[in-house]
Structure formats: C-alpha cells, structure tokens
Amino acid sequence: MAVNLPSPDLSSLHPIPGVALGVGMAGVKIPGRKDLLVMKLAAGAAVAGVFTRNRFCAAPVLVCKKNIRNEVRALIVNTGNANAGTGADGLKRAGAVCAALARQLGCRADQVLPFSTGVIMEPLPAERIVAALPVLKDCDWATAAEAIMTTDTVPKAFSRKVKLGDGEARVTGIAKGAGMIRPDMATMLGFIATDAEVSKRNLAGILRRAVDRSFNCITVDGETSTNDALIVVATGKGPAASKKDLVLLEDAITGVACDLAQAIVRDGEGATKFVTVSVERGSSVAECRRVAYAIAHSPLVKTAFFASDPNLGRILAAIGHSGAKVDTAKIDLYLDGVLVARRGARAATYREERAIAAMAKPEFTVRAVLNRGRADATLWTCDLSFDYVKINAEYRT
C-alpha cells in the first residue's frame, strides 16, 4: 500500500488542449487489462525528453532519441514488456508499432515516440499492439495514468495552473514507477504536458532543471532501469510564455515533476515509510548528494527504517563510506527533530524511545549536518520491506 498516496482525483486533473488521449487492451502480458496508451499531439507542439543512462537501454529509448529530433505528433506506451535486451529484432518491432500508429494518424513513423515497460529480454508482441490501435478509446488523464502502471499500486497524476502574462496555462503529468528506481534520470516513465506556447529550446532547458530537482532526487532500491524516459510537451494551444513567464512555467512544471517523483517513492515496491534525507552545510551540492544517496541506498539503513529501529551506526557508517571527504568529528545527525548524534558521537541528550517514535511514523526526515560549508541537498526514499523481496521474486510468475 502506497504511503499517504491516494488515487488521483479526476476533478483536479486539467485537460490539456492539443493533447488527445486514448487507451486500449493489447494483451501484451495480461489479457483484459488496459496496457496501451496513445497521446496524439497537435501540430507544432514542442517536445523535449530525457532518457536512461543505462548503457543497456531499451529499443524504444533508442528510437525515441532519434525521433524526438523531428516534429513529434504522437506518443505510444505499452506495459507488460520492456522491449529491452532484444537487439535488432527489438528495434524492428518498435519501428513496426510506430509505423502502424503513423498510418492511423496520417503522419510519418519518425514522428512517433514509442515507450515500453515491463519484463526485459522478451520479444515485444508488436502484432497485438498494432491490432489494438484501431479500437482505442478516448480517455482522461487519470485513466491514462492507470494504463501505464506495472507494479504500481495506484495511478500517479497531478495538475497545476499558472498565471502567465498572456493568460492562464495548464500543466498536467502522469508517471509510472515503483521499483528499479534511482537517480540517473530516475527509473520510470513520465509524461508532462502544458498548453503554454514555449520554444523547443526553452522547453528542453526547463526539463533538464526540473529533472535535477525532482526525478534525480529519488531512490527506491538503487537500481537503474533500461527504459527510463521523461517527456515534456508544450502544445502552444494556450498562452504564449514570455521571457518573464518562463520562470513561472518552470516552477509549475517542476512542481508537477516533484509531485510525480515523490509519488513514485511513496508507492515504492513494498514501501511502508516515506523518508526525506536532508544533508546540510556541506562544501558543495555534489558532496551533499553523495552523502544523501549513501544513506538512502544502504540496504542496512533501509531495513532499519522498516523496523523503526534507530540503528545509528548504520547511518553513520553509510555517511563514512559515501566517498565524501567529510570530517566525522563535525557531523550532527537528527531523526525528525531528535538530535541523535552530536559531533560524530551519540548525543548526550539522546533517548532511544524518542528516535523510535520518530521512525515509527509513516513519514519522517533523516537530517545530516556536515558543518563544513553552506551547501545542502534533499532527496526522497523509502524503506526496504519483506514485500519488496516478494514482489521482485515473483515478478515474472
């Protein structure tokens, strides 16, 4: 069960003029479930994307990286099969899906971006996807979010409105992801759209900065997938974003990205705790992030989170092996507002029952103060439970 993450409220999700959504049942892995999403874009829409840094990236990622240079007219997403580790045949099958959708929409195959998620090293059943395209049903954003789920327990969708000089713009986004999640573009699929008019160049800049403040600040299990992708679309069917407006629009897009990123952690496979890791007063942001990731990636720390066990040695050990050149005699450590370590040793005022109470909550903060500079960094993670092992042990069965 996701940690404090309800299903999206349909009334809060704003339609985006210039984006038409359709879902289908292709039976890629499980017959009778929605497993196919198509997003048709208005002509002239600006599209930007970031993708996995895993060297074994999937066939659809390779196709997307090439096709995104063109005017993009449609996105197609299937679940149940990642089409990764499939070689030249995987590229051929991804291309066949793009060609079939292009014929249906009256555009070129290289104007379609394909996305896949699911089991790796299995041939993509392209023929089933192609057969489902003519019977797609129009849908809303909440249904679209549901159609791209895999091990997710709830769909993930958020919206915002932002007042620009030329009028009010809308921003809506959906994402899927619960396991194989770590920074390096975050392991998931995400799609954010706005009706604002923005150049492709400006949109790409907004996306890069938004990712660094959202999806590159989460980790569930330290694993980087083969299929990561985050796409941002600006249809231009709403107000034009002036130079001054770009900051406001970026804040709105980043806000939706942060909502989606945190939702992925809240819905981490088997998660029972949502944990904020804050590292403060470091010599640089990079140093603070390195320390934060060491804490958040540690299986020993994450299992302690699950047990509500303030095993302080695990946290201090993670900081010490992070690779950051910290001075251990200067470090203070807090669990929420409880000072547990002062200058690298157990605080004189520390009482374990207070730390247990902090960690027993479904949400809490681990705060490490390095006391060697002015930089800071924050990321979000979850605990590691029995169910994480069960979900992944049974993933293909």
Side-chain angles (χ1 to χ4, degrees):
M1 181 63 68
V3 182
N4 294 336
L5 180 65
S7 294
D9 177 10
L10 179 59
S11 65
S12 70
L13 300 177
H14 312 306
I16 303 297
V19 178
L21 305 171
V23 297
M25 299 181 186
V28 173
K29 182 180 179 182
I30 302 174
R33 67 151 287 181
K34 293 186 284 287
D35 59 2
L36 186 63
L37 170 66
V38 169
M39 303 174 67
K40 182 181 177 181
L41 309 183
V47 178
V50 288
F51 303 93
T52 181
R53 295 177 185 175
N54 191 315
R55 296 289 294 175
F56 235 117
C57 62
V61 173
L62 295 174
V63 175
C64 279
K65 285 182 175 181
K66 181 179 179 181
N67 288 1
I68 201 169
R69 302 168 188 166
N70 305 319
E71 180 189 356
V72 178
R73 297 302 310 277
L75 285 62
I76 182 167
V77 190
N78 76 266
T79 67
N81 185 297
N83 194 11
T86 49
D89 181 66
L91 290 169
K92 181 179 179 181
R93 290 171 186 254
V97 169
C98 291
L101 181 58
R103 287 193 297 270
Q104 183 169 311
L105 299 181
C107 65
R108 302 192 313 270
D110 64 3
Q111 292 179 300
V112 177
L113 302 184
F115 305 86
S116 298
T117 182
V119 179
I120 296 171
M121 288 192 73
E122 294 290 338
L124 180 73
E127 67 285 351
R128 296 182 212 165
I129 295 173
V130 170
L133 291 177
V135 291
L136 292 175
K137 294 184 178 180
D138 295 342
C139 73
D140 51 47
W141 283 94
T143 304
E146 182 183 350
I148 65 175
M149 292 168 58
T150 50
T151 58
D152 309 63
T153 66
V154 292
K156 301 167 180 68
F158 297 92
S159 273
R160 296 194 180 199
K161 290 182 178 180
V162 56
K163 291 184 178 180
L164 307 182
D166 203 25
E168 188 173 63
R170 303 176 178 188
V171 180
T172 298
I174 61 174
K176 62 79 50 183
M180 294 186 79
I181 304 292
R182 69 157 289 163
D184 250 348
M185 211 328 279
T187 309
M188 49 96 225
L189 296 180
F191 307 96
I192 300 174
T194 177
D195 60 349
E197 183 181 336
V198 190
S199 72
K200 187 170 184 176
R201 179 179 179 181
N202 284 334
L203 191 65
I206 287 173
L207 175 58
R208 284 193 304 272
R209 292 185 292 274
V211 166
D212 281 341
R213 293 165 59 188
S214 57
F215 292 103
N216 277 348
C217 294
I218 63 173
T219 179
V220 168
D221 50 20
E223 298 288 345
T224 299
S225 173
T226 54
N227 291 63
D228 293 7
L230 176 65
I231 300 296
V232 174
V233 175
T235 66
K237 296 299 181 181
S242 67
K243 190 173 182 179
K244 287 184 178 180
D245 290 333
L246 289 176
V247 175
L248 299 174
L249 182 63
E250 180 172 327
D251 285 345
I253 290 174
T254 301
V256 170
C258 284
D259 289 339
L260 292 170
Q262 291 187 30
I264 287 173
V265 174
R266 293 180 184 279
D267 197 25
E269 290 173 342
T272 69
K273 309 281 179 66
F274 176 81
V275 184
T276 299
V277 180
S278 175
V279 179
E280 304 169 11
R281 300 190 63 185
S283 63
S284 67
V285 172
E287 177 181 81
C288 293
R289 285 194 170 203
R290 176 171 285 193
V291 171
Y293 293 147
I295 296 170
H297 285 157
S298 168
L300 291 177
V301 172
K302 292 166 77 67
T303 50
F305 290 162
F306 174 59
S308 303
D309 177 16
N311 194 333
L312 309 181
R314 292 182 176 182
I315 301 175
L316 294 180
I319 295 172
H321 76 65
S322 65
K325 296 179 180 179
V326 296
D327 185 343
T328 58
K330 291 183 177 181
I331 294 174
D332 299 332
L333 182 66
Y334 296 81
L335 294 175
D336 273 352
V338 181
L339 176 63
V340 298
R342 174 72 171 166
R343 302 302 180 184
R346 185 189 296 264
T349 57
Y350 175 69
R351 298 293 180 269
E352 184 154 301
E353 59 272 17
R354 294 182 62 204
I356 292 173
M359 294 182 72
K361 295 184 294 186
E363 300 188 33
F364 61 90
T365 298
V366 175
R367 183 169 157 245
V369 184
L370 304 184
N371 288 310
R372 55 189 261 108
R374 297 184 178 181
D376 59 72
T378 299
L379 60 82
W380 305 284
T381 189
C382 60
D383 58 341
L384 193 60
S385 71
F386 303 130
D387 283 343
Y388 177 86
V389 177
K390 181 177 172 58
I391 289 167
N392 283 282
E394 299 176 350
Y395 182 64
R396 296 204 311 152
T397 59

